[in-house]
Amino acid sequence: MSTVHLTNEDSEYMQTGDMDMTYISTSSQQTELPGGAEQQTMRVYLRVRPFSKEELSDKEDQDCVGIENSQTVTLNAPKGSANMKSSEKGIGMSLHKFSFSQIFGPEMMQSEIFEATVKSQMSDFLDGKNALLFSYGVTNAGKTYTIQGTPKQPGILPRVLDATFQYIEGHLYDGMDLKPYLRNDAQYLEPDQVKQEKSAKAAIFASVKEECEPLRSSGLESCSALTSNPTEADSSQFALWVAFFEIYNESVYDLLQASLCSKSKKRSSLRVCDDGAGNCYVKDLRWINILTLDEASKVLQFGNKNRSAAATNFPYSHSIFTIKLLKIEDSTVTRISEFSLCDLAGSERCNKTKTFGERLKEAGNINNSLLILGKCLTALRNNQTEGMKNSYIPFRESKLTKLFQAVFCGKGRASMIVNINQCASTYDETLHVMKFSAVAKQVVQVIPDKPLKSLAPCLIGRDGKPLVKNGVMDTQALESFLCEEELLDEEDEANMSLATENELANMIESLRTKLLAERKRNLVQEMEIRNEMGDAMLQQLMESEELRSRQIEELKESFEEKLENTFEIYKDAIRQHAYQSAMNNLEDDYVPFDEFIAEQDKVETLKRKVSELEGLTSSIGGLCAVPTVDQSCQTHPYKSTEAAGDDRCKHLYKEKCAIDSICEDKQQLIICLEKRLKDINVTLENTRDGYLEKSSELDDLQRKSKDQEILWQNVDKDREIASLKSELAKLSQNPPMQLRPKRGLLANIRDAVTSPRKTSTTRTPRKTAHP
C-alpha cells in the first residue's frame, strides 16, 4: 500500500490509488530556536474504546479500526456507510491511514495513559508554565472517562490533582487571602472577603453527599515524582485554586455557583473579557481554594451535577476544569501557572443523530464551535508553512477558541487526546474526527524558554489597583496614583491665576465663537442630512409604489393564466370521464357493425326462401286436395304418382314451418338489437346533455372565481396604496409648530425640508381601478 505525505498545499486528504487514502503528518519533533525558544508540533494522541456487550450483540464489530503500530492506525469503511457508498461511486476511498504521537488500544489502563500523555505537561505546569489538554471525539467515545474516569479507575484530572498535591506537600499555603485575578494576576483579599470565600466553599461541600470514598483510597495509585519537590530550606509556599465552567449554546456558565442547585432560578451566563494584554478570561468566575484531594473530588462532583445534558443524558456542552498554582514567597505571588482540561462535547452530525428542536440548536452550536476550532488550527498550520500567506485566524468567533488563544499562540503547551469507538454505525463520524486530528497534529507551537516580563503576576488590591511592583511595595507610586487628580487640579488653578482678566475674556470669547461656529456647522449639516433623507424617502416611496403596481399586474396575469390552465385541466378530465363512463355502459351490449350487417343479410335471404316456399305451396294446393293415405290406397291404388306428390308436399310443408320458426327468431333478435340501439342513443344524448351542462357550470364558476379573486386582490392593494398615501401625506406635511417670534434656524430647517415637496413634480400614486 502506497503512502502519501500530507503537504500544506494539498487538501486534508489525497487520493493515492483505488484502495487506500493515507494521512501522514510530520513527526512530533522538538527543535531549538534562537533565544532558547522551543518549537514542536502539537501532540495528538489516540485512544480506542473497547466494545460493550450491547455493541457486540448488535454486530458492531466489523473490523473498522486496525492498529498497525504504536503510531499508525487504519480505518476500513464498513458496508452501508456513507464513505463506502461514495467509494463505490468512485468518489473517495474506502481505506484511510492516520498517524498520531501515540496510539492506545482498548487494553490500555488509565495510569499508562497518564504517564504517556500528561506527564511532560504536568512537569511544565509545576515549573510555572501553562498547559492545555483537549479530549475530542463523538458522543459515547470515552472522552469523559479519559478526563475524569471512575472512582476505581481515576482519569487524567484526578491524577493531575494528586500529583500536584504530592509536589506541594509540606509547602501548602493554608490562607485564602491570595486569589487568582483576571488571567495571570493575583488579588489580595481582605478578611471579610476571606470569610465569603470560606462560606462559599462550605456551601459547596455541604451540598455534596458522601457518595464515594476519596480518590486516593478508591483506586488512585501514587504517581511517580514528576519533578523535584521544594526543599525544606525553601520558604516558598503554594496555593491551589480550581474553577469549573462550561460553554453551552455559546454561553459560558459557572458550574460552581451555589444558585445552580435551585431549578426555579435561571442560570446567568458569564462574559469572556480581555485583560488588556491579549489574554482572555471569564469575568466573575468562581475560584475555590482546595487543600486536599478529597475537596477537589467534591468540587468536581458538584460541578458535574450542574452540567447541561440532553435528553439522552449525554453532556451537550464543553466543560473546562482549570487549575491554577500560585507560588508564594514572603506573602507575595511570584509565579502563577495554569492547567486546563477541556472535555469537548460530541462532534456527531445532526442528520445522523436525528436531533430536532432544542437538541438541534445545541448540536448546531457545538458543531459551530468545533468548526471554528478546526479553522483556527488550519490557519495556524498554513501560517507556519513557508510560502503561505498569513491568513486570519478566527479565534474571536467562538468562546472556546477565544479563551485558549494565548495557549495556541505560544503561552503554554497544548495537546489533544482523540477518543474513538470501533462501531460500524458511527464510522463516518469517526472518520471526520480523524481528519480533524490530522490537521491538529501539524500545528507547530513555539514556546519561549523564559516567560515574558509582562506575564509576571501583579498583586491587585481590593479596589483593583496594583499594590506590588517587582515584588516590592511601591508606596510612593501608590500615593502619587491616588492623589493624581488632586495634583492636576492644583496645577491647573496655579496656571490659570497667571493669566490677566483681558486674556481670560479674550479666551472665553474665542471659545464662545468657536462653539457657536461648531453649533452652526452641526445644524447646517443636520439640515442637509434631513433634506437628503426626505428626498430619499420620497423617492423610495414613489419607487415602491411603482414596484407595487407592476407586481399587482404581474400577479393578475399569472393568476389568470393559472386559472385558465386549471379550467382546461378540469375540462379535459370531465371529457375523459364522460367518455369512459359511456364506454363502460356500452361495453356489455356492444355489437360490431359487421356482425350486424351479416345478420341482416341472413334475415333477408331467409325471407326470400320463405316467400318462394309459400308461392310453391299455394300452387300445389290449388291443383288438388290432399287425400289421406288410407283412402288413396283403398280407392285409388293405381294413382301412385299422386301419393309421391303428397309426400313431397308434406316435406315442403315441414321445411316451411322450420323456416318460419327461424324467421321468427331472427325477427325477435332484430327487434332486440333495435331496442338496444335506441337505449344507447338515449344514453349518449343524456351524457351529451350532462356534459354541456357541466361545461356551462364550469364557465360560470370560472368567471365568478376570476372576478372574485381580482376583486379581493384589488381591495388589498387599494388598502396598501391608501396606507402608503397616508404615510406619504404625514411625511410631506409637517404639523405646525409653536415658533418663537424670532425666526431662527429651526424655521429654516422646516423650510428646507418642505421646500422639495413644493418644487417637486406633482406625482400622485397610481391606483388600480376596480374591476
Side-chain angles (χ1 to χ4, degrees), residues 126-146:
L126 297 178
D127 289 338
K129 299 179 182 179
N130 297 333
L132 172 63
L133 176 66
F134 283 103
S135 65
Y136 181 70
V138 299
T139 301
N140 198 23
K143 301 185 301 297
T144 305
Y145 176 77
T146 300

Side-chain angles (χ1 to χ4, degrees), residues 245-255 267 269 306-311 314-320 345 358-363 365-366 369 399-400:
F245 62 95
E246 69 173 354
I247 302 176
Y248 174 72
N249 281 341
E250 277 302 300
S251 298
V252 181
Y253 298 100
D254 191 354
L255 297 178
R267 298 193 302 175
S269 60
N306 297 325
R307 189 175 177 185
S308 300
F314 289 112
Y316 258 65
S317 63
H318 310 301
S319 67
I320 298 98
E358 290 297 324
R359 303 288 80 80
L360 181 61
K361 179 181 178 183
E362 294 172 355
N365 289 322
I366 291 168
S369 62
K399 299 290 181 61
L400 180 66

Side-chain angles (χ1 to χ4, degrees), residues 205 242 244 256 288 290 295-303 321:
F205 292 164
V242 296
F244 198 13
L256 300 182
I288 303 297
I290 56 175
E295 292 182 355
S297 176
K298 292 181 179 179
V299 170
L300 183 61
Q301 184 180 353
F302 180 83
F321 192 93

Side-chain angles (χ1 to χ4, degrees), residues 510-527:
S510 176
L511 293 174
R512 183 178 297 170
T513 304
K514 291 181 181 180
L515 178 60
L516 292 175
E518 185 67 21
R519 287 181 177 177
K520 183 178 179 180
R521 188 180 66 82
N522 292 337
L523 288 174
V524 171
Q525 186 177 4
E526 182 180 0
M527 180 180 64

Side-chain angles (χ1 to χ4, degrees), residues 59-169:
K59 298 180 180 180
E60 293 284 356
D61 185 7
Q62 298 184 19
D63 296 330
C64 301
V65 180
I67 302 176
E68 296 185 359
N69 50 51
S70 61
Q71 293 184 344
T72 307
V73 65
T74 303
L75 296 186
N76 190 9
K79 294 182 180 180
S81 63
N83 185 258
M84 176 59 75
K85 294 178 182 178
S86 300
S87 64
E88 292 175 353
K89 296 178 182 179
I91 306 173
M93 300 301 158
S94 61
L95 189 64
H96 306 265
K97 182 182 290 186
F98 299 89
S99 67
F100 292 87
S101 301
Q102 190 170 350
I103 298 175
F104 306 100
E107 70 282 354
M108 278 291 180
M109 302 297 292
Q110 296 277 61
S111 58
E112 297 175 348
I113 293 176
F114 174 78
E115 291 288 334
T117 59
V118 192
K119 190 173 182 179
S120 60
Q121 283 183 297
M122 190 65 198
S123 300
D124 295 339
F125 169 64
L126 297 178
D127 289 338
K129 299 179 182 179
N130 297 333
L132 172 63
L133 176 66
F134 283 103
S135 65
Y136 181 70
V138 299
T139 301
N140 198 23
K143 301 185 301 297
T144 305
Y145 176 77
T146 300
I147 297 295
Q148 299 186 16
T150 60
K152 294 184 179 180
Q153 292 293 331
I156 293 175
L157 176 57
R159 295 176 188 275
V160 168
L161 293 170
D162 181 66
T164 304
F165 280 114
Q166 290 185 34
Y167 175 76
I168 64 176
E169 186 176 2

Side-chain angles (χ1 to χ4, degrees), residues 141 342 665 698:
C342 182
D665 294 338
L698 283 174

Side-chain angles (χ1 to χ4, degrees), residues 279-516:
N279 301 317
C280 295
Y281 67 97
V282 181
K283 188 178 181 181
D284 299 330
L285 181 65
R286 181 180 294 279
W287 291 90
I288 303 297
N289 179 242
I290 56 175
L291 303 176
T292 61
L293 190 61
D294 188 20
E295 292 182 355
S297 176
K298 292 181 179 179
V299 170
L300 183 61
Q301 184 180 353
F302 180 83
N304 286 329
K305 287 184 178 180
N306 297 325
R307 189 175 177 185
S308 300
T312 56
N313 292 327
F314 289 112
Y316 258 65
S317 63
H318 310 301
S319 67
I320 298 98
F321 192 93
T322 303
I323 308 169
K324 282 195 176 184
L325 184 63
L326 282 64
K327 185 176 181 181
I328 303 171
E329 295 179 359
D330 298 332
S331 300
T332 302
V333 180
T334 59
R335 189 181 70 193
I336 297 178
S337 57
E338 177 183 307
F339 199 132
S340 296
L341 295 97
C342 182
D343 183 7
L344 297 176
S347 60
E348 58 273 2
R349 293 175 293 182
C350 301
N351 58 353
K352 185 73 176 179
T353 56
K354 298 180 181 181
T355 55
F356 58 90
E358 290 297 324
R359 303 288 80 80
L360 181 61
K361 179 181 178 183
E362 294 172 355
N365 289 322
I366 291 168
N367 292 333
N368 181 58
S369 62
L370 295 177
L371 175 63
I372 294 173
L373 177 60
K375 288 181 179 180
C376 294
L377 295 176
T378 304
L380 285 171
R381 181 195 65 181
N382 294 336
N383 291 344
Q384 295 162 359
T385 304
E386 295 181 359
M388 297 289 290
K389 295 182 179 179
N390 290 335
S391 60
Y392 166 71
I393 304 176
F395 284 118
R396 301 282 172 166
E397 295 182 7
S398 172
K399 299 290 181 61
L400 180 66
T401 54
K402 185 178 180 181
L403 281 172
F404 300 113
Q405 176 182 357
V407 180
F408 285 117
C409 294
K411 298 179 181 179
R413 191 186 305 275
S415 62
M416 180 182 297
I417 298 179
V418 179
N419 296 265
I420 63 171
N421 55 40
Q422 308 175 65
C423 298
S425 59
T426 59
Y427 175 82
D428 296 322
E429 284 71 27
T430 301
L431 179 61
H432 177 73
V433 169
M434 301 291 270
K435 291 179 180 180
F436 179 91
S437 62
V439 177
K441 193 173 182 295
Q442 299 181 59
V443 176
V444 178
Q445 288 189 288
V446 180
I447 303 172
D449 183 39
K450 295 182 180 180
L452 300 176
K453 294 182 179 179
S454 59
L455 299 180
C458 179
L459 187 59
I460 307 299
R462 183 178 181 181
D463 53 357
K465 298 177 181 179
L467 299 179
V468 177
K469 184 177 181 182
N470 296 329
V472 180
M473 185 72 69
D474 193 353
T475 57
Q476 184 177 0
L478 184 59
E479 292 178 358
S480 63
F481 179 79
L482 293 175
C483 63
E484 183 179 359
E485 296 182 357
E486 297 178 359
L487 294 176
L488 289 176
D489 293 340
E490 293 176 359
E491 185 178 358
D492 291 340
E493 290 179 0
N495 292 334
M496 292 296 292
S497 63
L498 297 177
T500 61
E501 294 181 359
N502 294 332
E503 291 177 353
L504 291 175
N506 294 334
M507 187 181 298
I508 293 172
E509 189 64 27
S510 176
L511 293 174
R512 183 178 297 170
T513 304
K514 291 181 181 180
L515 178 60
L516 292 175

